[in-house]
Amino acid sequence: MSAVRRVQVLVVGAGQAGLAAGYYLRRAGLDFALLDASPAPGGAWQHYWDSLRLFSPAAYASLPGRPMPAQAGQAYPDAGHVARYLAEYEKRYELPVHRPVQVQTVGDAGDGGLLVRTDDGSWHARALISATGTWSRPFVPAVLGRDVFAGRQLHTHGYRRAEDFAGQRVVVVGGGNSGAQIAADLTSHASEVRWVTRRPARFLPDEIDGRALFEIATRRVQDGGPRISDLGDIVATGAVRAARDAGRLTAHPMFDHLTAAGPAWADGTVWPADAVIWCTGFRPALAPLAALGLRGHDGRIPTDGTRARADHRVHLLGYGDWTGPASATLIGVGRTARTAVAEIAATLRTVD
Ligand code: FAD
């Protein structure tokens, strides 16, 4: 059996959140490692669909230290550009990323530290940053008839390009950014696109891009300004705006159930469809932490900032605003990572 490797801080996940943590851990002079389940660098960005563009110009989508270079010919970079930037980032800062390594469980080591079991041996750490994102946990709601629909069903997770649906009648479910972007994308190739949302689609004002979202999230923390969700759900990216303004992106009310032929509404209308794409979100990938019993009664892990309330050795980074304002974005995660690492460094100093 291989020996247990020891570090002061272990980061689980080497997407943008894990790398931002790595940057500050390096600067703090701590002994650390990052474990990442993916064979390749880039986190979720390596899996997104071809037409996806960042919400912001490159200059406003940078991790700490190294600005993202502009992408030639693209004001708003594509996902491949971000994945390459992340790959270059971890090299530049010589971040000790081990991959592919899947973390299976995090438990109490019994000596004040944490014992982390992976598919490639075990690690001992005194603090842990969970930065596993949400991409590996696509969520599809329980809808009657999902198992009887004869067409193709997939989640955002499996969507790559509109050409795959050429000439087809496609239903896109979900009123968030993925739903709007994929529905807009499909209008170029599908014969019909029906976009359905549980409540009327709410576009953010057209001038709000990723940078403005970051500023709104920051103001909210500083002086209680509006929540982003008070303003809308969907960023009007170039492609979304063009499809909406051309009348090709109209949200219809959510259907009641699926039949073999397609979605059906309570009034008996059935819309024959070849495919249903569930753009219904993701859940935080927190299964490795289950044994620590961090969840509150509502099933979520309560945190103070990034620190798990029930175990001060564990920090959660990325995921969403509940772990720091805009911490699920490239521009926002740096600030949260800096605070998390400062807290970890202070705690380790106190214990030493
Ligand atoms: P991820 O990028 O998912 O990285 C997590 C890493 O952890 C992965 O490499 C994974 O393999 C690894 N991992 C998971 N589980 C384990 C395990 N058990 N053991 C070891 N490793 C594990 N953000 C922006 O900033 N700007 C945008 O314009 C923008 N546009 C978006 C548009 C859409 C349509 C979508 C869906 C998202 C967009 N985002 C945008 C959000 C952004 O892509 C994600 O929030 C971001 O990738 C999350 O980063 P992360 O590091 O937390 O997680």
Side-chain angles (χ1 to χ4, degrees):
M1 212 175 94
S2 62
V4 175
R5 283 164 280 187
R6 300 179 79 88
V7 284
Q8 286 177 299
V9 187
L10 201 58
V11 182
V12 185
Q16 61 198 40
L19 298 186
Y23 173 88
Y24 286 111
L25 287 164
R26 165 80 72 226
R27 283 194 8 166
L30 293 168
D31 173 33
F32 68 101
L34 298 97
L35 308 182
D36 192 61
S38 284
W45 293 99
Q46 64 194 291
H47 304 296
Y48 290 156
W49 53 97
D50 297 352
S51 69
L52 185 136
R53 295 287 176 275
L54 271 184
F55 294 146
S56 327
Y60 300 101
S62 300
L63 291 181
R66 165 96 176 112
M68 183 188 290
Q71 183 176 19
Q74 302 277 1
Y76 292 81
D78 63 25
H81 184 74
V82 182
R84 288 189 292 279
Y85 164 71
L86 296 181
E88 194 265 335
Y89 188 92
E90 66 180 58
K91 252 201 222 150
R92 180 187 183 93
Y93 294 108
E94 296 176 353
L95 300 178
V97 182
H98 301 251
R99 64 162 65 88
V101 179
Q102 177 87 33
V103 170
Q104 292 158 335
T105 59
V106 180
D108 194 308
D111 61 357
L114 295 160
L115 185 63
V116 178
R117 293 187 198 283
T118 81
D119 60 359
D120 184 36
S122 297
W123 292 74
H124 181 281
R126 294 171 56 203
L128 180 133
I129 297 177
S130 178
T132 50
T134 60
W135 183 254
S136 59
R137 278 198 66 205
F139 171 76
V140 178
V143 169
L144 204 66
R146 249 177 59 197
D147 50 341
V148 302
F149 175 58
R152 180 175 174 206
Q153 291 185 64
L154 65 156
H155 186 272
T156 310
H157 192 269
Y159 180 77
R160 285 295 164 275
R161 58 194 69 82
E163 289 86 332
D164 297 343
F165 298 87
Q168 297 187 11
R169 299 158 300 179
V170 188
V171 177
V172 178
V173 185
N177 285 297
S178 314
Q181 287 188 25
I182 290 177
D185 194 32
L186 283 164
T187 58
S188 63
H189 283 81
S191 66
E192 283 181 80
V193 180
R194 185 157 294 201
W195 179 34
V196 298
T197 59
R198 258 189 308 126
R199 54 179 190 174
R202 299 188 318 143
F203 293 93
L204 285 156
D206 286 1
E207 66 279 9
I208 292 192
D209 65 1
R211 179 174 44 145
L213 288 175
F214 176 68
E215 282 161 7
I216 293 166
T218 304
R219 271 204 306 277
R220 165 100 191 140
V221 175
Q222 287 166 350
D223 56 24
R227 274 192 301 251
I228 290 162
S229 58
D230 295 336
L231 305 174
D233 300 319
I234 300 164
V235 181
T237 59
V240 165
R241 203 180 315 157
R244 182 200 63 193
D245 294 349
R248 288 183 283 117
L249 186 64
T250 307
H252 302 268
M254 178 61 184
F255 51 82
D256 179 66
H257 61 280
L258 278 168
T259 66
W265 281 262
D267 66 359
T269 308
V270 175
W271 196 67
D274 301 300
V276 173
I277 306 181
W278 297 96
C279 301
T280 41
F282 295 83
R283 297 290 181 261
L286 297 171
L289 301 179
L292 292 174
L294 306 179
R295 286 186 190 277
H297 57 272
D298 60 356
R300 297 190 64 156
I301 296 184
T303 55
D304 291 319
T306 57
R307 182 169 252 171
R309 226 171 263 167
D311 191 327
H312 282 194
R313 299 166 297 184
V314 177
H315 287 251
L316 275 63
L317 191 63
Y319 302 113
D321 285 351
W322 58 284
T323 59
S327 68
T329 66
L330 286 152
I331 193 176
V333 72
R335 180 174 49 189
T336 318
R338 186 178 57 206
T339 309
V341 170
E343 280 182 27
I344 290 171
T347 305
L348 293 180
R349 268 198 305 275
T350 315
V351 177
D352 281 341

